[in-house]
Amino acid sequence: MSADEPVAGDRRWPRSVYGHGDEPDPRFSLANERTFLAWIRTSLGLLAGSLAVHLVDLGRYEGVARAGAALLAVTGLLCAAQAWRGWARTERALRERRPLPSSRTGIVVVTVVVLIAAALAVLSVWG
C-alpha cells in the first residue's frame, strides 16, 4: 500500500486530509486540534466583542460603532475559516511529513483589534 492510499475501512472525513499519507504521532494531531480550538475561541471572542461594540451608545459616533462592530464580526468569521483551513492544511502536512504551512491570518486579526481599540480609545477621550 502506498502512502496516498486510504486505509481499508477508514471513513474519516475529510478525505482530502485523511486520504493521504501515514498516521502522524497522535501528540501532533492533538496539538493541531488545540490550535483549531484556539482559533475558534478567538472567533467567538471577536463575535462577542462585535456585539458589545454594537450595543455601546456612542451618540453622534454611531456610524463608527457600526463599522467597528461589522469589522470585528467579519474578522471573527475569518478566524473561524482559518481554524478549519489551518487544521486541514497542518494535519495533511503532518500526514505527508511535509513542513508545516504558514498563515497570514494572525496579522490581520492583530491589525483589526488594534484599529478598533485605537478608535474606541480616541472616542472615549474626545467623544
Side-chain angles (χ1 to χ4, degrees), residues 1-119:
M1 173 174 22
S2 76
D4 288 332
E5 293 178 22
V7 176
D10 190 353
R11 297 178 183 216
R12 292 181 291 178
W13 183 86
R15 297 300 311 147
S16 62
V17 171
Y18 292 114
H20 297 270
D22 300 315
E23 288 294 313
D25 184 323
R27 294 173 294 178
F28 301 139
S29 289
L30 293 171
N32 188 29
E33 185 176 334
R34 287 190 298 274
T35 302
F36 168 83
L37 293 171
W39 277 105
I40 293 296
R41 284 190 303 273
T42 301
S43 176
L44 290 171
L46 287 164
L47 292 173
S50 172
L51 179 62
V53 169
H54 179 71
L55 295 176
V56 169
D57 182 18
L58 293 178
R60 64 181 185 210
Y61 298 107
E62 191 60 35
V64 173
R66 286 185 184 202
L71 191 56
L72 286 170
V74 168
T75 306
L77 175 66
L78 177 67
C79 283
Q82 168 58 30
W84 177 258
R85 183 173 180 261
W87 171 83
R89 291 175 66 212
T90 299
E91 191 66 25
R92 185 158 174 176
L94 288 170
R95 297 178 67 77
E96 294 177 348
R97 299 189 194 313
R98 289 186 289 110
L100 298 181
S102 64
S103 170
R104 295 185 187 121
T105 306
I107 191 65
V108 173
V109 172
V110 168
T111 302
V112 168
V113 170
V114 166
L115 289 174
I116 298 297

